[in-house]
Amino acid sequence: MKLYWSSRSPFVRKVMIFAHECGLAARIQCERTPVAMNKPNASLLPVNPTGKIPTLVLDDGTVLYDSTVICEYLDSLHAGPRLFPASGPARWTALRRHALGNNLTDNLMLWRNEMLRPQPQQSPETLAAFELKVRNAVAALDREAAALTADPVGIGHVAIGCALGYIDFRFAHLGWRESNNHIAGWYETFARRPSMTLTAHVDL
């Protein structure tokens, strides 16, 4: 399988963390694919009409896009415990956590895009709104930390780990650990998993 990939993308990282957790990383060939909001990658557009990464090309030529779709596909390929629980309360808990992590990452990326605009074009109200949303989401994660620690690793853990890792990568100035020691402790342990250390962000 070929993955259109960037070391800077948290959603690509999510797929690769998931692949390592499932024992499938060795089956994925990563092709570096720079993308930007204002600069579409011409070589990617014929493969993925949205021009976004991650994009996964299967061995038979089928193309999958969106990190959630790709992770669900990978979850169907291995014989171990499913990272997307099949049914019941465990499934809805995992999907809720996944949504929280994914939406936190979305807000972080939109916030960063606003910060990269020329200073006169930036909206102070928009910047303040993103900071409020991000800090509120991290506070919610702090309340979730004990349950995250108790439950088996699943898609929610992966999405949350990606989001917190992206804060460290692009928003280190936030000091998010200072008033969120419970989720900080969880992340310190989770970040030592091989799936995390092998997929660390690099600004290339």
Side-chain angles (χ1 to χ4, degrees), residues 80-141:
R82 292 290 182 260
L83 276 71
F84 284 86
S87 61
R91 176 171 177 79
W92 302 118
T93 296
L95 293 182
R96 176 183 58 77
R97 289 171 176 166
H98 174 252
L100 180 54
N102 254 26
N103 283 304
L104 173 54
T105 301
D106 277 335
N107 279 331
L108 288 164
M109 295 186 75
L110 291 169
W111 186 9
R112 175 170 165 78
N113 285 332
E114 182 67 19
M115 292 170 66
L116 291 175
R117 287 158 57 89
Q119 184 81 34
Q121 298 177 24
Q122 293 180 18
S123 164
E125 293 82 4
T126 299
L127 293 172
F130 280 129
E131 180 166 1
L132 175 62
K133 292 174 184 179
V134 166
R135 291 193 182 278
N136 194 58
V138 175
L141 291 175

Coordinates of all heavy atoms in Angstrom, one line a residue, residues 80-141:
G80 N -5.6 -8.9 15.6 CA -5.7 -8.5 17.0 C -6.9 -7.9 17.4 O -7.9 -7.8 16.6
P81 N -7.0 -7.4 18.6 CA -8.2 -6.7 19.1 C -8.4 -5.4 18.2 O -7.5 -4.7 17.9 CB -7.8 -6.3 20.5 CG -6.7 -7.2 20.9 CD -6.0 -7.5 19.7
R82 N -9.7 -5.2 17.9 CA -10.1 -4.1 17.1 C -9.9 -2.7 17.9 O -10.3 -2.6 19.0 CB -11.5 -4.2 16.6 CG -11.7 -5.4 15.6 CD -11.0 -5.0 14.3 NE -11.2 -6.1 13.3 CZ -10.3 -7.0 13.0 NH1 -9.2 -7.0 13.7 NH2 -10.6 -7.9 12.1
L83 N -9.3 -1.8 17.2 CA -9.2 -0.4 17.8 C -10.5 0.4 17.6 O -10.6 1.4 18.3 CB -8.0 0.3 17.2 CG -6.6 0.0 17.9 CD1 -6.2 -1.4 17.5 CD2 -5.6 1.0 17.5
F84 N -11.4 -0.1 16.7 CA -12.7 0.4 16.6 C -13.6 -0.6 17.2 O -13.9 -1.6 16.5 CB -13.1 0.7 15.2 CG -12.6 1.9 14.5 CD1 -11.3 1.9 13.9 CD2 -13.3 3.1 14.5 CE1 -10.8 3.0 13.3 CE2 -12.8 4.2 13.9 CZ -11.5 4.2 13.3
P85 N -14.0 -0.5 18.5 CA -14.9 -1.6 19.0 C -16.1 -1.8 18.1 O -16.7 -0.8 17.6 CB -15.3 -1.0 20.4 CG -14.2 -0.1 20.7 CD -13.7 0.5 19.4
A86 N -16.6 -3.0 18.1 CA -17.6 -3.3 17.1 C -19.0 -2.8 17.5 O -19.8 -2.5 16.7 CB -17.7 -4.9 16.9
S87 N -19.3 -2.8 18.8 CA -20.7 -2.5 19.2 C -20.7 -2.2 20.7 O -19.7 -2.3 21.4 CB -21.6 -3.7 19.0 OG -21.2 -4.8 19.7
G88 N -21.9 -1.7 21.2 CA -22.1 -1.5 22.6 C -21.5 -0.2 23.1 O -20.9 0.6 22.3
P89 N -21.5 0.0 24.4 CA -21.0 1.2 25.0 C -19.5 1.5 24.7 O -19.1 2.7 24.5 CB -21.2 1.0 26.5 CG -22.3 0.0 26.6 CD -22.1 -0.9 25.4
A90 N -18.7 0.5 24.5 CA -17.3 0.7 24.2 C -17.1 1.4 22.9 O -16.2 2.2 22.7 CB -16.5 -0.7 24.2
R91 N -18.0 1.0 21.9 CA -17.9 1.6 20.6 C -18.2 3.1 20.7 O -17.5 4.0 20.1 CB -18.8 0.9 19.6 CG -18.9 1.6 18.2 CD -19.6 0.8 17.2 NE -19.7 1.5 15.9 CZ -18.7 1.6 15.1 NH1 -17.6 1.0 15.3 NH2 -18.8 2.2 13.9
W92 N -19.3 3.5 21.4 CA -19.7 4.9 21.4 C -18.7 5.7 22.2 O -18.4 6.9 21.9 CB -21.1 5.0 22.0 CG -22.1 4.2 21.1 CD1 -22.8 3.2 21.5 CD2 -22.3 4.4 19.7 NE1 -23.6 2.7 20.5 CE2 -23.2 3.4 19.3 CE3 -21.8 5.3 18.8 CZ2 -23.7 3.3 18.0 CZ3 -22.3 5.2 17.5 CH2 -23.2 4.2 17.1
T93 N -18.1 5.1 23.2 CA -17.1 5.8 24.0 C -15.8 6.1 23.1 O -15.3 7.2 23.1 CB -16.6 5.0 25.2 OG1 -17.7 4.9 26.1 CG2 -15.5 5.7 26.0
A94 N -15.4 5.1 22.3 CA -14.3 5.2 21.5 C -14.5 6.2 20.4 O -13.7 7.1 20.1 CB -13.9 3.9 20.8
L95 N -15.7 6.2 19.8 CA -16.1 7.2 18.7 C -16.2 8.6 19.3 O -15.8 9.6 18.6 CB -17.3 6.8 18.0 CG -17.3 5.5 17.2 CD1 -18.6 5.2 16.5 CD2 -16.1 5.5 16.2
R96 N -16.7 8.8 20.5 CA -16.8 10.1 21.1 C -15.4 10.6 21.3 O -15.1 11.8 21.0 CB -17.6 10.0 22.4 CG -17.6 11.4 23.1 CD -18.3 11.2 24.5 NE -17.8 10.3 25.4 CZ -16.6 10.4 26.1 NH1 -16.0 11.6 26.0 NH2 -16.2 9.5 26.9
R97 N -14.5 9.8 21.9 CA -13.1 10.2 22.1 C -12.4 10.6 20.8 O -11.7 11.5 20.7 CB -12.4 9.2 22.9 CG -12.8 9.0 24.3 CD -12.1 7.7 24.9 NE -12.5 7.6 26.3 CZ -12.2 6.5 27.0 NH1 -11.7 5.4 26.4 NH2 -12.5 6.4 28.3
H98 N -12.7 9.8 19.8 CA -12.1 10.0 18.5 C -12.6 11.4 18.0 O -11.8 12.1 17.5 CB -12.5 8.9 17.6 CG -12.1 9.1 16.2 ND1 -12.9 9.4 15.1 CD2 -10.8 9.1 15.6 CE1 -12.3 9.6 14.0 NE2 -11.0 9.4 14.2
A99 N -13.8 11.7 18.1 CA -14.4 12.9 17.6 C -13.7 14.1 18.4 O -13.4 15.1 17.8 CB -15.9 13.0 17.8
L100 N -13.6 13.9 19.7 CA -13.0 15.0 20.5 C -11.5 15.2 20.1 O -11.1 16.4 19.9 CB -13.0 14.6 22.0 CG -12.4 15.6 23.0 CD1 -13.0 17.0 22.8 CD2 -12.6 15.1 24.4
G101 N -10.7 14.2 19.9 CA -9.4 14.3 19.4 C -9.3 14.9 18.0 O -8.5 15.8 17.7
N102 N -10.1 14.4 17.1 CA -10.1 14.9 15.7 C -10.5 16.4 15.6 O -9.9 17.2 14.9 CB -11.1 14.1 14.9 CG -10.4 13.1 14.0 OD1 -9.2 12.7 14.2 ND2 -11.0 12.8 12.9
N103 N -11.6 16.8 16.4 CA -12.0 18.2 16.3 C -11.1 19.1 17.0 O -10.9 20.2 16.5 CB -13.4 18.3 17.0 CG -14.5 17.8 16.1 OD1 -14.7 18.2 14.9 ND2 -15.3 16.8 16.5
L104 N -10.4 18.6 18.0 CA -9.3 19.4 18.6 C -8.2 19.7 17.6 O -7.7 20.8 17.4 CB -8.7 18.7 19.8 CG -7.5 19.4 20.5 CD1 -7.7 20.8 20.8 CD2 -7.1 18.6 21.7
T105 N -7.8 18.6 16.8 CA -6.8 18.8 15.8 C -7.3 19.7 14.7 O -6.5 20.6 14.2 CB -6.4 17.4 15.2 OG1 -5.9 16.6 16.3 CG2 -5.4 17.6 14.1
D106 N -8.5 19.6 14.3 CA -9.1 20.5 13.3 C -9.0 22.0 13.7 O -8.5 22.8 12.9 CB -10.6 20.2 13.0 CG -10.8 19.1 12.0 OD1 -9.9 18.8 11.2 OD2 -11.8 18.4 12.1
N107 N -9.3 22.2 15.0 CA -9.2 23.6 15.5 C -7.8 24.1 15.5 O -7.5 25.3 15.2 CB -9.9 23.7 16.8 CG -11.4 23.8 16.7 OD1 -12.0 24.3 15.8 ND2 -12.1 23.3 17.8
L108 N -6.9 23.2 15.9 CA -5.5 23.6 15.9 C -5.0 24.0 14.5 O -4.3 25.0 14.4 CB -4.7 22.5 16.5 CG -4.8 22.2 18.0 CD1 -4.2 20.8 18.4 CD2 -4.1 23.3 18.8
M109 N -5.4 23.2 13.5 CA -4.9 23.5 12.2 C -5.5 24.8 11.6 O -4.8 25.6 11.0 CB -5.2 22.3 11.3 CG -4.4 21.0 11.7 SD -4.6 19.7 10.6 CE -3.5 20.2 9.2
L110 N -6.8 25.0 11.9 CA -7.4 26.2 11.5 C -6.8 27.4 12.2 O -6.6 28.5 11.6 CB -8.9 26.1 11.7 CG -9.7 25.1 10.8 CD1 -11.1 25.0 11.3 CD2 -9.7 25.6 9.4
W111 N -6.5 27.3 13.5 CA -5.9 28.3 14.2 C -4.5 28.7 13.7 O -4.2 29.8 13.4 CB -5.8 27.9 15.7 CG -5.3 28.9 16.7 CD1 -5.1 30.2 16.5 CD2 -5.0 28.7 18.0 NE1 -4.7 30.9 17.6 CE2 -4.6 29.9 18.6 CE3 -5.0 27.5 18.8 CZ2 -4.2 30.0 19.9 CZ3 -4.6 27.6 20.2 CH2 -4.2 28.9 20.7
R112 N -3.8 27.6 13.4 CA -2.4 27.9 12.8 C -2.5 28.6 11.4 O -1.8 29.5 11.1 CB -1.7 26.5 12.6 CG -0.3 26.7 11.9 CD 0.5 25.4 12.0 NE 1.6 25.5 11.0 CZ 2.7 26.2 11.2 NH1 2.9 26.9 12.3 NH2 3.7 26.1 10.3
N113 N -3.5 28.2 10.6 CA -3.7 28.8 9.3 C -4.0 30.3 9.5 O -3.5 31.2 8.7 CB -4.8 28.2 8.5 CG -4.3 26.8 7.9 OD1 -3.1 26.6 7.7 ND2 -5.2 25.9 7.8
E114 N -4.8 30.6 10.5 CA -5.1 32.1 10.7 C -3.9 32.8 11.2 O -3.6 33.9 10.8 CB -6.2 32.2 11.8 CG -6.6 33.6 12.1 CD -7.3 34.3 11.0 OE1 -7.8 33.6 10.0 OE2 -7.4 35.5 11.0
M115 N -3.0 32.2 12.0 CA -1.8 32.8 12.5 C -0.8 33.0 11.4 O 0.1 33.9 11.5 CB -1.2 31.9 13.6 CG -2.0 31.8 14.9 SD -1.4 30.6 16.1 CE 0.2 31.2 16.5
L116 N -0.9 32.2 10.4 CA 0.1 32.3 9.3 C -0.3 33.4 8.3 O 0.5 33.7 7.4 CB 0.3 31.0 8.5 CG 1.0 29.9 9.3 CD1 0.9 28.5 8.6 CD2 2.4 30.2 9.7
R117 N -1.5 33.9 8.4 CA -1.9 35.0 7.5 C -1.1 36.3 7.9 O -0.6 36.4 9.0 CB -3.4 35.3 7.7 CG -4.3 34.3 7.1 CD -5.7 34.3 7.7 NE -6.3 35.6 7.6 CZ -7.1 36.0 6.5 NH1 -7.3 35.2 5.5 NH2 -7.7 37.2 6.5
P118 N -0.9 37.2 6.9 CA -0.2 38.4 7.2 C -0.9 39.1 8.4 O -2.1 39.1 8.5 CB -0.3 39.2 5.9 CG -0.5 38.2 4.8 CD -1.2 37.1 5.5
Q119 N -0.1 39.7 9.2 CA -0.6 40.3 10.5 C -1.8 41.2 10.2 O -2.8 41.1 11.0 CB 0.5 41.1 11.2 CG 0.1 41.7 12.5 CD 0.1 40.7 13.6 OE1 1.0 39.8 13.7 NE2 -0.8 40.8 14.6
P120 N -1.8 42.1 9.2 CA -3.0 43.0 9.1 C -4.3 42.2 8.7 O -5.4 42.7 8.9 CB -2.6 43.9 7.9 CG -1.1 43.8 7.9 CD -0.7 42.4 8.3
Q121 N -4.1 41.0 8.2 CA -5.3 40.2 7.7 C -5.8 39.3 8.8 O -6.9 38.7 8.7 CB -4.9 39.4 6.5 CG -4.6 40.3 5.3 CD -4.2 39.4 4.1 OE1 -4.5 38.3 4.0 NE2 -3.4 40.0 3.2
Q122 N -5.1 39.1 9.9 CA -5.5 38.2 11.0 C -6.7 38.8 11.8 O -6.8 40.1 12.0 CB -4.4 38.0 11.9 CG -3.2 37.2 11.3 CD -2.1 36.9 12.3 OE1 -2.3 37.0 13.5 NE2 -0.9 36.6 11.8
S123 N -7.6 38.0 12.2 CA -8.7 38.4 13.0 C -8.5 38.1 14.5 O -8.4 36.9 14.8 CB -10.0 37.7 12.5 OG -11.0 37.8 13.5
P124 N -8.3 39.1 15.3 CA -8.1 38.9 16.7 C -9.3 38.1 17.4 O -9.0 37.2 18.2 CB -8.0 40.3 17.4 CG -7.6 41.1 16.2 CD -8.2 40.6 15.0
E125 N -10.5 38.3 16.9 CA -11.6 37.6 17.4 C -11.5 36.1 17.1 O -11.8 35.2 17.9 CB -12.9 38.2 16.9 CG -13.2 39.6 17.4 CD -12.5 40.6 16.6 OE1 -11.8 40.3 15.6 OE2 -12.6 41.8 16.9
T126 N -11.1 35.8 15.8 CA -11.0 34.4 15.4 C -9.9 33.7 16.2 O -10.0 32.6 16.6 CB -10.7 34.4 13.9 OG1 -11.8 34.9 13.2 CG2 -10.5 32.9 13.4
L127 N -8.8 34.4 16.3 CA -7.6 33.8 17.1 C -8.1 33.5 18.5 O -7.7 32.4 19.1 CB -6.4 34.8 17.1 CG -5.8 35.0 15.7 CD1 -4.7 36.1 15.8 CD2 -5.1 33.7 15.2
A128 N -8.8 34.4 19.2 CA -9.2 34.2 20.5 C -10.2 33.1 20.6 O -10.2 32.3 21.6 CB -9.8 35.5 21.1
A129 N -11.1 33.0 19.6 CA -12.1 31.9 19.6 C -11.4 30.5 19.5 O -11.8 29.6 20.2 CB -13.0 32.1 18.5
F130 N -10.4 30.4 18.7 CA -9.7 29.1 18.5 C -8.9 28.8 19.8 O -8.9 27.6 20.3 CB -8.7 29.2 17.4 CG -9.3 28.9 16.0 CD1 -9.1 29.8 15.0 CD2 -10.2 27.9 15.8 CE1 -9.7 29.6 13.7 CE2 -10.8 27.6 14.6 CZ -10.5 28.5 13.6
E131 N -8.3 29.8 20.5 CA -7.6 29.5 21.7 C -8.6 29.0 22.8 O -8.3 28.1 23.5 CB -6.9 30.7 22.2 CG -6.1 30.4 23.5 CD -5.1 31.5 23.9 OE1 -4.9 32.5 23.2 OE2 -4.4 31.3 24.9
L132 N -9.8 29.6 22.9 CA -10.8 29.2 23.8 C -11.2 27.8 23.6 O -11.3 27.0 24.5 CB -12.0 30.2 23.8 CG -13.2 29.8 24.7 CD1 -12.8 29.8 26.1 CD2 -14.3 30.8 24.4
K133 N -11.5 27.5 22.3 CA -11.9 26.1 22.0 C -10.9 25.1 22.3 O -11.2 24.0 22.8 CB -12.3 26.0 20.5 CG -13.5 26.8 20.1 CD -13.7 26.8 18.6 CE -14.9 27.7 18.2 NZ -15.1 27.7 16.7
V134 N -9.6 25.4 22.0 CA -8.5 24.4 22.2 C -8.3 24.2 23.7 O -8.2 23.1 24.2 CB -7.2 24.9 21.6 CG1 -6.0 24.2 22.1 CG2 -7.3 24.8 20.1
R135 N -8.3 25.3 24.5 CA -8.1 25.2 25.9 C -9.3 24.4 26.6 O -9.1 23.6 27.5 CB -7.9 26.5 26.6 CG -6.6 27.2 26.2 CD -6.3 28.4 27.1 NE -5.0 29.0 26.7 CZ -3.8 28.6 27.1 NH1 -3.7 27.5 27.8 NH2 -2.7 29.3 26.7
N136 N -10.5 24.7 26.1 CA -11.7 24.0 26.6 C -11.6 22.5 26.3 O -12.0 21.7 27.2 CB -12.9 24.6 26.0 CG -14.2 24.2 26.7 OD1 -14.3 24.4 27.9 ND2 -15.1 23.6 26.0
A137 N -11.2 22.1 25.1 CA -11.1 20.7 24.8 C -10.0 20.0 25.6 O -10.2 18.9 26.0 CB -10.7 20.6 23.3
V138 N -8.9 20.7 25.8 CA -7.8 20.0 26.7 C -8.3 19.9 28.1 O -8.1 18.8 28.7 CB -6.5 20.9 26.6 CG1 -5.5 20.3 27.6 CG2 -6.0 20.9 25.2
A139 N -9.1 20.8 28.6 CA -9.7 20.7 29.9 C -10.6 19.5 30.0 O -10.7 18.8 31.0 CB -10.4 22.0 30.3
A140 N -11.4 19.3 28.9 CA -12.3 18.1 28.9 C -11.5 16.8 28.9 O -11.9 15.8 29.5 CB -13.2 18.2 27.6
L141 N -10.4 16.8 28.2 CA -9.5 15.6 28.1 C -8.9 15.4 29.5 O -8.7 14.2 29.9 CB -8.4 15.8 27.1 CG -8.8 15.8 25.7 CD1 -7.6 16.1 24.8 CD2 -9.3 14.4 25.3

